[in-house]
């Protein structure tokens, strides 16, 4: 296959600027890297937040996009796997060389997973950041941007280790929430209680939630509902939304000695903070959490093939890369429910 020297990319020309589709060079893979023709790229809330507020990105013009799936078209030195022609998924970072909102990108070979035959490119693109955040939040050691320091369910010691222990996932239908539920199920947590809009009850049950609670109920009502489900202390809570109201409710439910994993900084009022409850603002991109991601990717193909990990439902955006800006606007307006928005960069006109 001929590799082009130029491609189409979705560029953010300046901080808080407007996205534009433009021509961009195709990079060559260096040692430990592969060049991938991206067939599907998924959108994340962080993409619209970078555009709206700045942050995360220091150099402009910038290219965003964290979630990519495609075909390897070239490999750098010292890469035993994947090989040219392999279908892979991987987590991108927001540098123009590595980001996903373009037609070709560079991936680090040791943090890629082969896409099994039962998963298409669109589904594969829904996996990386959502699953990675859930995995880091549950399994990274308990440092400031780490996790709850649990043993992963993909290790023999972690499978069924937490049987009969309750877990609550706030935002069960979000991408991160759906993957947190699935990892908790692999760990044997029971019950797995998810807050969700009632129209998503069946969706979260299909990925492993045993009980659902309407996410629009008040703090006291959600606390009572959890108590109706379990009389055990709730020692692990994953708040995949982490706005003030979900944090407040989660913290109230959290038992003494327990760990609350947030996806944004804590806003729990100082006068409510207790020394015996640990709160962690997890960070999927933090370099110290890399070992969790690398271990996850060693098992990911197998988990996707077996159905232990199911991808998110997909809503395909029209227009290739040009359709992404509208999709991000939709996310910003809170108009996404239980789905991941996906674009096909190769269909960019
Ligand atoms: N720290 C990190 O490293 C990291 C990494 C990735 C993502 N994040 C953050 O994690 C959050 C989730 O990301 P995502 O990609 O999973 O988002 P997403 O899938 O786009 O989130 C949409 C979902 O959020 C749910 N939701 C909204 N408000 C809720 C509430 N008050 N209670 C319960 N559910 C609520 C909605 O549920 P219903 O439709 O059922 O109402 C909807 O399904 C974002 O804020 C993102 O920025 C952080």
């Amino acid at each position: 296959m001929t590799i082009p020297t130029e491609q189409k990319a979705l560029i953010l020309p300046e901080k808080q600027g407007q996205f534009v589709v433009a021509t961009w060079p195709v990079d060559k893979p260096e040692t430990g890297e592969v060049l991938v023709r991206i067939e599907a790229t998924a959108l994340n809330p962080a993409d619209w937040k970078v555009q709206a507020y700045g942050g995360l990105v220091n150099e402009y013009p910038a290219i965003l996009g964290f979630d990519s799936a495609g075909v390897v078209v070239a490999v750098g030195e010292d890469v035993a796997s994947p090989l040219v022609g392999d279908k892979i998924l991987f987590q991108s970072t927001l540098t123009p060389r590595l980001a996903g909102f373009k037609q070709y990108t560079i991936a680090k070979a040791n943090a890629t997973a082969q896409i099994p035959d039962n998963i298409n490119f669109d589904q594969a693109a829904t996996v990386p950041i959502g699953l990675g955040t859930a995995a880091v939040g549950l399994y990274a050691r308990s440092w400031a941007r780490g996790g709850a320091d649990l043993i992963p369910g993909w290790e023999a010691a972690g499978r069924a280790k937490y049987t009969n222990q309750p877990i609550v996932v706030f935002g069960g239908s979000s991408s991160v929430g759906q993957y947190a539920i699935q990892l908790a199920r692999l760990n044997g947590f029971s019950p797995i209680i998810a807050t969700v809009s009632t129209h998503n009850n069946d969706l979260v049950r299909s990925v492993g939630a045993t009980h659902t609670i309407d996410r629009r109920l008040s703090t006291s009502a959600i606390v009572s509902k959890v108590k109706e489900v379990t009389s055990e202390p709730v020692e692990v809570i994953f708040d995949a939304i982490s706005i003030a109201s979900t944090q407040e409710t989660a913290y109230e439910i959290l038992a003494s000695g327990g760990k609350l994993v947030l996806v944004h900084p804590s806003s729990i009022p100082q006068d409510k903070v207790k020394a015996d409850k640990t709160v962690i603002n997890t960070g999927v991109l933090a370099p110290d959490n890399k070992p969790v991601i690398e271990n996850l990717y060693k098992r990911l193909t197998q988990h996707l093939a077996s159905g232990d990990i199911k991808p998110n439902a997909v809503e395909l955006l029209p227009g290739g890369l040009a359709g992404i800006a509208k999709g991000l606007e939709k996310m910003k307006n809170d108009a996404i429910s239980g789905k991941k928005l996906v674009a096909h960069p190769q269909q960019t006109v």
Side-chain angles (χ1 to χ4, degrees), residues 44-46 49 129 133 145 170-177 195-197 199-200 215-216 240-241 243 245-246 263-264 281-285 331 334 336-340:
N44 280 281
K49 290 174 190 173
I129 280 286
T133 306
R145 301 303 316 274
F170 281 78
S173 67
S174 68
S175 176
V176 174
T195 71
V196 66
S197 286
H199 67 265
N200 281 324
R215 60 116 152 155
R216 288 181 176 78
I241 305 303
I243 54 176
S245 60
T246 60
V263 292
H264 292 298
N281 169 25
T282 197
V284 67
L285 301 177
M331 284 190 129
D334 254 337
I336 301 301
S337 179
K339 282 188 184 152
K340 195 88 174 158

Tab-separated table of all heavy atoms in Angstrom, residues 44-46 49 129 133 145 170-177 195-197 199-200 215-216 240-241 243 245-246 263-264 281-285 331 334 336-340, ligand 1:
chain	number	residue	atom	x	y	z
A	44	ASN	N	-14.453	12.685	22.720
A	44	ASN	CA	-14.499	12.683	24.183
A	44	ASN	C	-14.836	14.074	24.698
A	44	ASN	O	-14.507	15.065	24.048
A	44	ASN	CB	-13.127	12.269	24.747
A	44	ASN	CG	-12.951	10.770	24.701
A	44	ASN	OD1	-13.478	10.054	25.547
A	44	ASN	ND2	-12.244	10.292	23.695
A	45	PRO	N	-15.436	14.152	25.910
A	45	PRO	CA	-15.728	15.472	26.472
A	45	PRO	C	-14.492	16.367	26.529
A	45	PRO	O	-14.594	17.580	26.337
A	45	PRO	CB	-16.244	15.147	27.883
A	45	PRO	CG	-16.811	13.763	27.780
A	45	PRO	CD	-15.950	13.059	26.772
A	46	ALA	N	-13.310	15.778	26.763
A	46	ALA	CA	-12.099	16.605	26.854
A	46	ALA	C	-11.842	17.359	25.546
A	46	ALA	O	-11.257	18.443	25.568
A	46	ALA	CB	-10.894	15.743	27.200
A	49	LYS	N	-13.822	20.458	25.646
A	49	LYS	CA	-13.352	21.312	26.749
A	49	LYS	C	-12.044	22.019	26.364
A	49	LYS	O	-11.845	23.192	26.676
A	49	LYS	CB	-13.168	20.489	28.025
A	49	LYS	CG	-14.521	20.044	28.606
A	49	LYS	CD	-14.376	19.106	29.784
A	49	LYS	CE	-15.721	18.508	30.155
A	49	LYS	NZ	-15.662	17.461	31.175
A	129	ILE	N	-10.141	5.514	25.700
A	129	ILE	CA	-10.102	6.445	26.843
A	129	ILE	C	-11.120	6.048	27.919
A	129	ILE	O	-10.827	6.095	29.121
A	129	ILE	CB	-10.312	7.903	26.380
A	129	ILE	CG1	-9.000	8.438	25.830
A	129	ILE	CG2	-10.818	8.791	27.508
A	129	ILE	CD1	-7.934	8.762	26.874
A	133	THR	N	-9.662	5.013	31.462
A	133	THR	CA	-9.975	5.820	32.654
A	133	THR	C	-10.567	4.939	33.747
A	133	THR	O	-10.216	5.065	34.932
A	133	THR	CB	-10.970	6.943	32.283
A	133	THR	OG1	-10.431	7.681	31.185
A	133	THR	CG2	-11.216	7.873	33.451
A	145	ARG	N	-3.320	11.348	41.430
A	145	ARG	CA	-3.983	11.161	40.132
A	145	ARG	C	-4.101	9.675	39.786
A	145	ARG	O	-4.173	9.292	38.628
A	145	ARG	CB	-3.203	11.877	39.010
A	145	ARG	CG	-3.009	13.383	39.147
A	145	ARG	CD	-4.293	14.178	39.277
A	145	ARG	NE	-5.390	13.844	38.390
A	145	ARG	CZ	-5.583	14.327	37.156
A	145	ARG	NH1	-4.712	15.150	36.655
A	145	ARG	NH2	-6.637	14.012	36.452
A	170	PHE	N	-21.424	6.207	39.752
A	170	PHE	CA	-22.233	7.376	39.369
A	170	PHE	C	-22.002	7.631	37.880
A	170	PHE	O	-20.868	7.659	37.424
A	170	PHE	CB	-21.824	8.609	40.195
A	170	PHE	CG	-22.410	8.589	41.575
A	170	PHE	CD1	-21.861	7.792	42.558
A	170	PHE	CD2	-23.537	9.339	41.878
A	170	PHE	CE1	-22.421	7.737	43.828
A	170	PHE	CE2	-24.106	9.293	43.138
A	170	PHE	CZ	-23.553	8.492	44.113
A	171	GLY	N	-23.117	7.820	37.131
A	171	GLY	CA	-22.995	8.022	35.692
A	171	GLY	C	-22.754	6.710	34.976
A	171	GLY	O	-21.854	6.603	34.124
A	172	GLY	N	-23.560	5.711	35.283
A	172	GLY	CA	-23.371	4.366	34.724
A	172	GLY	C	-23.501	4.287	33.219
A	172	GLY	O	-22.930	3.393	32.591
A	173	SER	N	-24.238	5.219	32.602
A	173	SER	CA	-24.420	5.146	31.143
A	173	SER	C	-23.364	5.938	30.389
A	173	SER	O	-23.319	5.909	29.160
A	173	SER	CB	-25.813	5.664	30.752
A	173	SER	OG	-25.885	7.050	31.027
A	174	SER	N	-22.528	6.688	31.103
A	174	SER	CA	-21.446	7.409	30.411
A	174	SER	C	-20.456	6.366	29.887
A	174	SER	O	-20.462	5.214	30.322
A	174	SER	CB	-20.745	8.369	31.375
A	174	SER	OG	-20.039	7.640	32.366
A	175	SER	N	-19.619	6.786	28.968
A	175	SER	CA	-18.645	5.857	28.408
A	175	SER	C	-17.761	5.296	29.532
A	175	SER	O	-17.622	4.078	29.697
A	175	SER	CB	-17.793	6.573	27.358
A	175	SER	OG	-16.789	5.712	26.887
A	176	VAL	N	-17.191	6.193	30.347
A	176	VAL	CA	-16.330	5.753	31.452
A	176	VAL	C	-17.127	4.874	32.415
A	176	VAL	O	-16.654	3.827	32.869
A	176	VAL	CB	-15.743	6.981	32.194
A	176	VAL	CG1	-14.976	6.554	33.430
A	176	VAL	CG2	-14.838	7.799	31.267
A	177	GLY	N	-18.357	5.286	32.714
A	177	GLY	CA	-19.191	4.543	33.660
A	177	GLY	C	-19.486	3.129	33.179
A	177	GLY	O	-19.417	2.166	33.959
A	195	THR	N	-26.043	4.927	39.017
A	195	THR	CA	-26.998	6.018	38.840
A	195	THR	C	-27.055	6.330	37.353
A	195	THR	O	-26.029	6.342	36.660
A	195	THR	CB	-26.601	7.298	39.618
A	195	THR	OG1	-25.457	7.889	38.997
A	195	THR	CG2	-26.330	6.999	41.077
A	196	VAL	N	-28.297	6.597	36.873
A	196	VAL	CA	-28.497	6.647	35.431
A	196	VAL	C	-29.864	7.277	35.163
A	196	VAL	O	-30.732	7.266	36.046
A	196	VAL	CB	-28.409	5.181	34.897
A	196	VAL	CG1	-29.534	4.319	35.408
A	196	VAL	CG2	-28.270	5.084	33.427
A	197	SER	N	-30.075	7.832	33.984
A	197	SER	CA	-31.442	8.220	33.594
A	197	SER	C	-32.234	6.938	33.374
A	197	SER	O	-31.687	5.960	32.841
A	197	SER	CB	-31.425	9.021	32.292
A	197	SER	OG	-30.945	10.317	32.529
A	199	HIS	N	-34.229	5.904	31.243
A	199	HIS	CA	-34.256	5.303	29.900
A	199	HIS	C	-32.987	4.487	29.617
A	199	HIS	O	-32.945	3.740	28.639
A	199	HIS	CB	-34.493	6.361	28.802
A	199	HIS	CG	-33.364	7.337	28.636
A	199	HIS	ND1	-33.345	8.570	29.248
A	199	HIS	CD2	-32.215	7.269	27.936
A	199	HIS	CE1	-32.229	9.198	28.933
A	199	HIS	NE2	-31.529	8.426	28.130
A	200	ASN	N	-31.981	4.625	30.461
A	200	ASN	CA	-30.755	3.834	30.270
A	200	ASN	C	-30.631	2.660	31.249
A	200	ASN	O	-29.563	2.031	31.322
A	200	ASN	CB	-29.514	4.741	30.395
A	200	ASN	CG	-29.275	5.531	29.123
A	200	ASN	OD1	-29.509	5.023	28.016
A	200	ASN	ND2	-28.832	6.763	29.250
A	215	ARG	N	-30.755	8.971	38.372
A	215	ARG	CA	-29.693	9.926	38.707
A	215	ARG	C	-30.249	11.317	39.047
A	215	ARG	O	-29.531	12.159	39.574
A	215	ARG	CB	-28.684	10.002	37.564
A	215	ARG	CG	-29.234	10.453	36.217
A	215	ARG	CD	-28.584	11.741	35.858
A	215	ARG	NE	-28.469	12.024	34.458
A	215	ARG	CZ	-28.376	13.267	34.009
A	215	ARG	NH1	-28.442	14.286	34.847
A	215	ARG	NH2	-28.242	13.501	32.717
A	216	ARG	N	-31.553	11.545	38.774
A	216	ARG	CA	-32.125	12.865	39.062
A	216	ARG	C	-32.704	12.959	40.474
A	216	ARG	O	-33.187	14.016	40.877
A	216	ARG	CB	-33.177	13.224	38.010
A	216	ARG	CG	-32.513	13.543	36.670
A	216	ARG	CD	-33.453	13.922	35.569
A	216	ARG	NE	-32.710	14.294	34.372
A	216	ARG	CZ	-32.161	13.430	33.533
A	216	ARG	NH1	-32.267	12.127	33.751
A	216	ARG	NH2	-31.500	13.850	32.470
A	240	ALA	N	-18.138	8.728	37.710
A	240	ALA	CA	-17.709	8.996	36.332
A	240	ALA	C	-18.206	10.351	35.837
A	240	ALA	O	-17.932	10.716	34.687
A	240	ALA	CB	-18.211	7.877	35.412
A	241	ILE	N	-18.910	11.091	36.675
A	241	ILE	CA	-19.419	12.417	36.287
A	241	ILE	C	-18.667	13.498	37.070
A	241	ILE	O	-18.150	14.450	36.504
A	241	ILE	CB	-20.948	12.511	36.547
A	241	ILE	CG1	-21.689	11.364	35.814
A	241	ILE	CG2	-21.485	13.868	36.108
A	241	ILE	CD1	-21.466	11.298	34.314
A	243	ILE	N	-19.488	15.989	39.042
A	243	ILE	CA	-19.936	17.365	39.269
A	243	ILE	C	-20.207	17.474	40.775
A	243	ILE	O	-20.214	16.458	41.488
A	243	ILE	CB	-21.187	17.715	38.429
A	243	ILE	CG1	-22.316	16.705	38.669
A	243	ILE	CG2	-20.835	17.791	36.952
A	243	ILE	CD1	-23.620	17.037	37.953
A	245	SER	N	-22.792	17.834	42.665
A	245	SER	CA	-23.883	17.051	43.268
A	245	SER	C	-23.552	15.563	43.342
A	245	SER	O	-23.853	14.908	44.344
A	245	SER	CB	-25.184	17.273	42.495
A	245	SER	OG	-25.011	16.865	41.154
A	246	THR	N	-22.914	15.016	42.297
A	246	THR	CA	-22.589	13.581	42.357
A	246	THR	C	-21.493	13.337	43.390
A	246	THR	O	-21.526	12.352	44.127
A	246	THR	CB	-22.145	13.029	40.981
A	246	THR	OG1	-20.988	13.734	40.525
A	246	THR	CG2	-23.249	13.130	39.941
A	263	VAL	N	-13.394	11.770	38.424
A	263	VAL	CA	-12.750	12.042	37.133
A	263	VAL	C	-12.445	13.537	36.974
A	263	VAL	O	-11.937	13.970	35.940
A	263	VAL	CB	-13.623	11.543	35.954
A	263	VAL	CG1	-13.696	10.024	35.943
A	263	VAL	CG2	-15.016	12.166	35.992
A	264	HIS	N	-12.786	14.312	37.991
A	264	HIS	CA	-12.455	15.741	38.033
A	264	HIS	C	-12.022	16.080	39.462
A	264	HIS	O	-12.301	15.308	40.383
A	264	HIS	CB	-13.667	16.598	37.633
A	264	HIS	CG	-14.028	16.442	36.182
A	264	HIS	ND1	-13.170	16.792	35.163
A	264	HIS	CD2	-15.130	15.935	35.588
A	264	HIS	CE1	-13.746	16.520	33.998
A	264	HIS	NE2	-14.932	15.992	34.227
A	281	ASN	N	-8.604	11.997	42.436
A	281	ASN	CA	-8.972	12.562	41.129
A	281	ASN	C	-8.138	11.844	40.076
A	281	ASN	O	-7.014	12.231	39.784
A	281	ASN	CB	-8.702	14.070	41.134
A	281	ASN	CG	-8.813	14.680	39.743
A	281	ASN	OD1	-9.500	14.142	38.879
A	281	ASN	ND2	-8.120	15.778	39.521
A	282	THR	N	-8.681	10.783	39.503
A	282	THR	CA	-7.887	9.926	38.630
A	282	THR	C	-7.476	10.647	37.338
A	282	THR	O	-8.143	11.603	36.914
A	282	THR	CB	-8.656	8.621	38.314
A	282	THR	OG1	-7.735	7.660	37.816
A	282	THR	CG2	-9.757	8.827	37.277
A	283	GLY	N	-6.409	10.182	36.713
A	283	GLY	CA	-5.937	10.821	35.480
A	283	GLY	C	-5.443	9.768	34.503
A	283	GLY	O	-4.364	9.188	34.702
A	284	VAL	N	-6.213	9.521	33.469
A	284	VAL	CA	-5.853	8.442	32.542
A	284	VAL	C	-4.546	8.724	31.813
A	284	VAL	O	-3.829	7.800	31.429
A	284	VAL	CB	-7.018	8.162	31.559
A	284	VAL	CG1	-7.253	9.343	30.617
A	284	VAL	CG2	-6.751	6.908	30.744
A	285	LEU	N	-4.227	10.004	31.633
A	285	LEU	CA	-3.024	10.340	30.858
A	285	LEU	C	-1.778	10.497	31.730
A	285	LEU	O	-0.683	10.682	31.200
A	285	LEU	CB	-3.250	11.643	30.082
A	285	LEU	CG	-4.426	11.648	29.091
A	285	LEU	CD1	-4.581	13.020	28.456
A	285	LEU	CD2	-4.242	10.582	28.022
A	331	MET	N	-22.052	17.267	22.436
A	331	MET	CA	-21.559	16.826	23.751
A	331	MET	C	-21.599	17.972	24.749
A	331	MET	O	-22.011	17.800	25.891
A	331	MET	CB	-20.095	16.388	23.645
A	331	MET	CG	-19.894	15.060	23.011
A	331	MET	SD	-18.161	14.588	23.241
A	331	MET	CE	-18.404	12.975	23.888
A	334	ASP	N	-24.756	18.599	26.425
A	334	ASP	CA	-25.278	17.471	27.222
A	334	ASP	C	-26.312	16.650	26.467
A	334	ASP	O	-27.254	16.141	27.060
A	334	ASP	CB	-25.931	17.996	28.511
A	334	ASP	CG	-25.060	17.718	29.704
A	334	ASP	OD1	-24.243	16.794	29.611
A	334	ASP	OD2	-25.198	18.430	30.718
A	336	ILE	N	-25.756	13.903	24.712
A	336	ILE	CA	-25.296	12.531	24.452
A	336	ILE	C	-25.723	11.655	25.614
A	336	ILE	O	-25.479	11.984	26.772
A	336	ILE	CB	-23.749	12.481	24.323
A	336	ILE	CG1	-23.290	13.379	23.191
A	336	ILE	CG2	-23.251	11.049	24.112
A	336	ILE	CD1	-23.859	13.037	21.837
A	337	SER	N	-26.365	10.544	25.305
A	337	SER	CA	-26.857	9.666	26.363
A	337	SER	C	-26.588	8.206	26.005
A	337	SER	O	-27.207	7.669	25.082
A	337	SER	CB	-28.363	9.900	26.536
A	337	SER	OG	-28.863	9.052	27.538
A	338	GLY	N	-25.637	7.607	26.702
A	338	GLY	CA	-25.387	6.178	26.532
A	338	GLY	C	-24.720	5.809	25.219
A	338	GLY	O	-24.695	4.643	24.846
A	339	LYS	N	-24.167	6.799	24.509
A	339	LYS	CA	-23.553	6.525	23.194
A	339	LYS	C	-22.223	7.223	23.075
A	339	LYS	O	-21.972	8.214	23.744
A	339	LYS	CB	-24.450	7.070	22.086
A	339	LYS	CG	-25.630	6.199	21.813
A	339	LYS	CD	-26.335	6.710	20.585
A	339	LYS	CE	-27.593	5.890	20.355
A	339	LYS	NZ	-28.614	6.641	19.662
A	340	LYS	N	-21.425	6.718	22.147
A	340	LYS	CA	-20.151	7.373	21.831
A	340	LYS	C	-20.262	7.904	20.405
A	340	LYS	O	-20.681	7.169	19.483
A	340	LYS	CB	-19.044	6.308	21.917
A	340	LYS	CG	-17.674	6.857	21.960
A	340	LYS	CD	-17.249	7.154	23.382
A	340	LYS	CE	-15.811	7.576	23.435
A	340	LYS	NZ	-15.530	8.349	24.659
B	1	LIG	N1	-9.811	12.261	34.634
B	1	LIG	C1	-9.657	11.662	33.473
B	1	LIG	O1	-8.572	11.154	33.148
B	1	LIG	C2	-10.833	11.552	32.539
B	1	LIG	C3	-10.747	10.711	31.425
B	1	LIG	C4	-11.879	10.576	30.607
B	1	LIG	C5	-13.031	11.303	30.893
B	1	LIG	N2	-13.044	12.171	31.951
B	1	LIG	C6	-14.273	12.915	32.297
B	1	LIG	O2	-15.228	11.925	32.650
B	1	LIG	C7	-16.532	12.409	32.364
B	1	LIG	C8	-17.283	11.306	31.614
B	1	LIG	O3	-16.719	11.129	30.325
B	1	LIG	P1	-17.480	10.210	29.289
B	1	LIG	O4	-16.726	10.215	28.022
B	1	LIG	O5	-17.783	8.934	29.938
B	1	LIG	O6	-18.811	11.069	29.108
B	1	LIG	P2	-20.104	10.799	28.233
B	1	LIG	O7	-20.234	9.362	27.893
B	1	LIG	O8	-20.139	11.762	27.101
B	1	LIG	O9	-21.219	11.243	29.281
B	1	LIG	C9	-22.571	11.267	28.913
B	1	LIG	C10	-23.358	10.564	29.993
B	1	LIG	O10	-23.264	11.303	31.217
B	1	LIG	C11	-24.369	10.937	31.991
B	1	LIG	N3	-24.627	11.980	33.005
B	1	LIG	C12	-24.607	13.312	32.840
B	1	LIG	N4	-24.883	13.927	34.024
B	1	LIG	C13	-25.078	12.951	34.943
B	1	LIG	C14	-25.383	12.938	36.335
B	1	LIG	N5	-25.562	14.076	37.021
B	1	LIG	N6	-25.501	11.742	36.972
B	1	LIG	C15	-25.318	10.585	36.297
B	1	LIG	N7	-25.028	10.523	34.962
B	1	LIG	C16	-24.911	11.699	34.298
B	1	LIG	C17	-25.510	10.818	31.003
B	1	LIG	O11	-26.347	9.823	31.527
B	1	LIG	P3	-27.916	9.678	31.199
B	1	LIG	O12	-28.064	9.920	29.738
B	1	LIG	O13	-28.209	8.274	31.634
B	1	LIG	O14	-28.603	10.718	32.025
B	1	LIG	C18	-24.821	10.405	29.687
B	1	LIG	O15	-25.052	9.050	29.334
B	1	LIG	C19	-16.351	13.702	31.572
B	1	LIG	O16	-16.556	14.800	32.432
B	1	LIG	C20	-14.894	13.645	31.127
B	1	LIG	O17	-14.353	14.929	30.938
B	1	LIG	C21	-11.969	12.301	32.787
